[in-house]
Amino acid sequence: MSDSSPLPPVRLHSEAELARDALSTPLLSRAARLARWAGPDTRVDAGGGLVDEQLPAAAEALGLSGDDAAADASEAWRVAVDAGLVEVVDEEEGTVTVGEELALLTAGSPQDVLAVWLAALETVLADASVPDLDGLLDEDGEVDLSALDWDPEAEAEFLDGVLGNLYLLTAGEDTPGAPVPLPALAASVIVPSDMGEPTNDVLEQVSDAMMRLDDQFRMLEPAGFVEYQPVDEALMADADEEPAAPVDDTDVSRYGMVRLTPLGLYGMRARLLEAGFDAPAVGGLADKGADALLDGTATYPPGAAQAETEQWLQRREPLDAARELLAAARGSDAGAPLRRLRCQQALSLVGPSAEPALREVLDDAELGGLARVWLTEQGAADVPAPSEAMVYWLTIDTVAAQLAAEGNSEELRALVAGLAQQHSGFFSAVWRVEHPATADVLEAMGRLHPDKRVAKEARKAAFKARSQQGG
């Protein structure tokens, strides 16, 4: 991802809901319990980790048992220290005390709770980038780093890339929050975008990445960051072993499925903002002016644009909102047609009480057309008929806005075909329209129209318009 281009807007749960989710995660709840369990006799090693002798008691305090109990207790303690729930008082003596952040979990604001959770999340993300060291112990029980082919920066960058792609998929308009197959997610960071059929070498890299991600997502799930269905163990059985049950290789869910939780979406957005990305959230424009709303939602998908606009309108009286929107929609710059389209869409959400604002701009060259459309749709009386010049100007403005919003979409192709069909002599008149986008729109019509004869007329008209504009 490039940090210069805005990411799709995401719809976040309220901070109060997210804070409750954070407090209920195994990651934070265990860390908080250990912080309250710690006392004068608690001892830590030089790195701040709980000494081995006290891990069984810590595991018991957390209600943990089994082979992984001590390791899970050690991880929970490390999170407590990193998140500020516990503070090391004397490094030589290894004594600890309650950290300042612990009180925030019960007496702080939702933002305070989420800040603590984010600090805890960073610990888990750092751990997730560290490879499994169990198979690298030498005869003395020490890690043989010479046998470890590990680049910490590359590993962290790999995980960040995967999570960034998962964020993009989660923020999508079609199926927000839908689980993503692990093979597709791994391939999104391994397979080059211009590669047709992946080579065997690339497929092997994807398979290796899936296994790494399987371990990493298992670690991230207790943080409340993702919901994860792990890879089916039967798929990882040795080729010589007989599977316990028939394996359906066509069931993609057996290869792992993952999605960001609402809390994970919040956490990823916070990390992206910290890294310098433009990562908008729906509702972020509600307290800004109409100019910021129309410009900001210009690239939003339709559903997100409507949700953002609805929140903006909720804070204003309908008549005042309509006047502010209309004022912000004026202009002859390249972005003005799309602003007017967004303005028209926003006004469709405003009730009849906004009518005076629309009547005030009936004679406005830029706004008179959309004002007539709104009044007609509202069933208002005494709506003056537009002049031919206004009809053609509004047509150019509308197509220019659609080009900016959708590019060469099928909907736009249908619109272009319909315009030339409905108006006889359309091209002989429209090239004279004094609109900054006239020539560009006519060139686009020549490119998009399915009829070669009509397309040629459009290109001729575009040449005339360009000459009239001095271009």
Side-chain angles (χ1 to χ4, degrees):
M1 293 187 301
S2 168
D3 58 6
S4 61
S5 57
L7 296 169
V10 293
R11 305 192 197 195
L12 299 178
H13 288 194
S14 70
E15 288 185 333
E17 291 177 283
L18 293 170
R20 285 195 293 270
D21 290 345
L23 289 170
S24 66
T25 61
L27 173 78
L28 196 54
S29 61
R30 286 177 179 177
R33 285 166 67 185
L34 279 191
R36 297 185 181 103
W37 162 83
D41 296 330
T42 304
R43 292 293 180 270
V44 295
D45 57 28
L50 203 58
V51 295
D52 291 344
E53 293 81 2
Q54 295 188 338
L55 286 176
E60 184 179 354
L62 294 176
L64 300 174
S65 59
D67 295 340
D68 296 329
D72 290 342
S74 177
E75 179 189 3
W77 178 263
R78 190 168 62 258
V79 169
V81 172
D82 291 347
L85 306 180
V86 174
E87 182 180 341
V88 178
V89 177
D90 188 324
E91 292 184 4
E92 291 188 4
E93 294 292 329
T95 55
V96 298
T97 188
V98 171
E100 295 180 359
E101 308 300 318
L102 183 60
L104 298 178
L105 298 184
T106 52
S109 67
Q111 295 96 320
D112 292 331
V113 173
L114 290 169
V116 175
W117 177 80
L118 285 170
L121 174 65
E122 288 302 319
T123 297
V124 180
L125 286 168
D127 288 349
S129 296
V130 177
D132 184 5
L133 304 178
D134 288 345
L136 299 172
L137 299 179
D138 58 22
E139 296 177 354
D140 300 323
E142 300 293 330
V143 176
D144 181 10
L145 294 178
S146 63
L148 183 61
D149 181 17
W150 175 51
D151 182 340
E153 290 187 7
E155 192 66 29
E157 186 177 334
F158 167 78
L159 182 57
D160 283 343
V162 169
L163 295 178
N165 285 357
L166 184 58
Y167 180 87
L168 288 174
L169 293 167
T170 304
E173 183 78 5
D174 296 333
T175 53
V180 179
L182 195 60
L185 191 57
S188 71
V189 293
I190 299 294
V191 182
S193 58
D194 58 351
M195 176 176 283
E197 188 71 21
T199 63
N200 288 336
D201 180 58
V202 168
L203 289 175
E204 186 175 345
Q205 291 179 50
V206 171
S207 180
D208 291 343
M210 285 174 56
M211 295 303 98
R212 288 155 64 194
L213 289 172
D214 182 64
D215 291 336
Q216 290 169 330
F217 286 136
R218 288 173 192 259
M219 295 178 66
L220 291 171
E221 190 169 33
F225 191 72
V226 296
E227 287 183 6
Y228 182 54
Q229 176 182 324
V231 176
D232 190 333
E233 297 289 345
L235 296 171
M236 295 184 284
D238 290 338
D240 295 336
E241 294 181 9
E242 188 71 26
V247 176
D248 181 4
D249 291 336
T250 63
D251 182 3
V252 70
S253 68
R254 302 185 73 232
Y255 292 85
M257 300 286 286
V258 63
R259 77 175 186 91
L260 287 174
T261 65
L263 185 60
L265 190 63
Y266 169 86
M268 264 308 298
R269 177 174 179 265
R271 300 185 80 238
L272 289 166
L273 290 172
E274 182 70 20
F277 286 86
D278 181 2
V282 171
L285 302 174
D287 59 348
K288 302 188 184 304
D291 53 346
L293 175 72
L294 298 182
D295 284 334
T297 58
T299 58
Y300 281 20
Q306 178 170 331
E308 185 71 62
T309 303
E310 287 172 345
Q311 292 195 35
W312 188 88
L313 290 171
Q314 287 171 4
R315 300 194 179 194
R316 293 159 179 81
E317 292 297 323
L319 183 56
D320 293 338
R323 285 182 173 135
E324 191 178 346
L325 286 166
L326 289 165
R330 287 191 173 92
S332 58
D333 57 284
L338 187 51
R339 282 204 306 276
R340 283 186 281 273
L341 177 62
R342 291 299 190 213
C343 174
Q344 190 170 358
Q345 292 167 342
L347 289 170
S348 70
L349 304 174
V350 181
S353 58
E355 182 173 336
L358 278 298
R359 290 197 177 274
E360 289 166 5
V361 299
L362 281 172
D363 295 330
D364 188 289
E366 295 177 348
L367 304 176
L370 70 84
R372 284 167 170 77
V373 171
W374 187 91
L375 289 167
T376 301
E377 289 176 346
Q378 292 290 323
D382 302 322
V383 181
S387 65
E388 184 180 73
M390 181 173 284
V391 170
Y392 282 131
W393 194 96
L394 183 60
T395 299
I396 293 293
D397 202 56
T398 300
V399 177
Q402 295 289 354
L403 277 169
E406 302 174 7
N408 301 336
S409 66
E410 289 302 318
E411 291 79 3
L412 185 56
R413 290 177 185 274
L415 174 62
V416 165
L419 284 172
Q421 195 171 21
Q422 291 171 14
H423 302 276
S424 59
F426 178 80
F427 293 112
S428 62
V430 76
W431 68 266
R432 305 176 191 273
V433 173
E434 295 183 3
H435 189 295
T438 298
D440 292 336
V441 165
L442 288 171
E443 285 177 356
M445 293 182 77
R447 186 175 64 251
L448 298 173
H449 203 286
D451 188 306
K452 290 183 179 181
R453 181 188 61 80
V454 176
K456 185 176 181 180
E457 284 187 52
R459 290 194 295 272
K460 284 184 178 180
F463 178 78
K464 291 180 181 179
R466 191 78 68 192
S467 300
Q468 176 178 259
Q469 294 172 352

